[in-house]
Each structure stands twice: as C-alpha cells, then as structure tokens.
Amino acid sequence: MAAACAVALLTTSVHAQQTPQTDLPRVELRAGMYRIHAQVASTHEQVMTGLMYRDSMPDQEGMLFVFPRASVQCFWMRNTRIPLTAAFVADDGTIVNLAKMSPMSEAQHCSDKPVRFVLEMNQGWFEKRKFGPDTRLQGPPFNTKQ
C-alpha cells in the first residue's frame, strides 16, 4: 500500500512538473557590452527542472544554476526541447568551459573543474559574440574582487 501511494505521489509530481518554470527569481548579468536576463535556479527542484518543457527562449535570456559548493557539475538535456550551450562558470565569473547540448539528449556534459555556477543560453549565443573560456561574466552572483 505504501509503495502504491509513493508511486501515485511520484506520478502526480512528475505530471505537475511538465510545464516550464518561468517564475524563478531573476538576475541581470553582463558579458562585455551584452546584458543577460537570467532566471536563477538554486533549489534542488529548480535545478532538476531547469529549462525543461520550453519550446523557445528569448535571445538575451538564460538560466543561471547556483550550487552550494564548487564541484564538477554535469548536465544533460532530458525533456529539454531547445538546443542550449552550458557555460561552466568560476566564482569570479570566468567561464571555465562551454558545452553544446542537443535537445532531448541524455549525454552528460561536465565542467572541466569544480564550479558553483552554470549558465545555460540558447545554442550559438556565446559563439556569435566570440565568448569562450576565460571570458568573464559580471553580476551580483560573482565575486567582484578588484
């Protein structure tokens, strides 16, 4: 009986989460002269849902994933319909590495070293602006030691 209730509860929560999360807190980041309007995913549930179930995302929008401590972060694209690029970002805002990710793929894409931040943008956004590893993002989440 308990197992049946657990399955029913899990099924209900899975069906409830099949819509995009669009009401997360937002932060404005900068990359050179470009502004990024990023939703912030910081709870386990927000991170696990990410950008799933979206059919599109405006060009200057993205999602910033914030983790409690630096570690090697790995992402996949289960239930994610749009092609994305993940920027794995150090505490000071420096991009460590980028990973192009294909829609609906379960291939894992990981940071080259431990990071606390991952910024997902539409695929091609970083390339068009010639941003890559060592590009520095600016904004409130990143240490701004001068």
Side-chain angles (χ1 to χ4, degrees):
M1 178 68 146
C5 288
V7 169
L9 185 59
L10 179 60
T11 303
T12 302
S13 67
V14 167
H15 289 297
Q17 282 298 319
Q18 290 187 351
T19 58
Q21 57 183 352
T22 56
D23 59 349
L24 297 179
R26 293 179 178 268
V27 65
E28 184 175 282
L29 306 175
R30 290 181 319 281
M33 65 182 211
Y34 299 97
R35 295 190 189 281
I36 300 166
H37 303 283
Q39 290 186 18
V40 179
S42 58
T43 69
H44 178 73
E45 293 77 19
Q46 292 168 346
V47 167
M48 294 306 293
T49 303
L51 290 167
M52 289 180 176
Y53 311 113
R54 293 193 186 200
D55 294 317
S56 65
M57 183 170 62
D59 190 50
Q60 291 303 113
E61 285 195 17
M63 184 169 285
L64 181 67
F65 297 83
V66 180
F67 297 92
R69 67 190 63 77
S71 63
V72 172
Q73 306 297 342
C74 294
F75 280 61
W76 63 0
M77 296 283 285
R78 177 183 285 171
N79 297 320
T80 305
R81 302 172 182 157
I82 55 177
L84 299 171
T85 297
F88 298 96
V89 183
D91 280 357
D92 69 353
T94 302
I95 296 174
V96 172
N97 64 293
L98 297 169
K100 289 183 183 179
M101 303 185 300
S102 299
M104 307 301 281
S105 171
E106 293 191 12
Q108 289 199 8
H109 305 275
C110 301
S111 59
D112 288 346
K113 67 180 190 178
V115 297
R116 286 191 329 118
F117 303 102
V118 180
L119 175 63
E120 288 184 342
M121 298 290 289
N122 286 311
Q123 199 169 96
W125 191 90
F126 294 100
E127 274 182 352
K128 285 179 195 172
R129 291 154 184 83
K130 299 186 180 1
F131 294 147
D134 297 325
T135 297
R136 187 156 179 201
L137 304 176
Q138 297 176 319
F142 310 119
N143 293 341
T144 56
K145 296 175 186 171
Q146 301 292 336

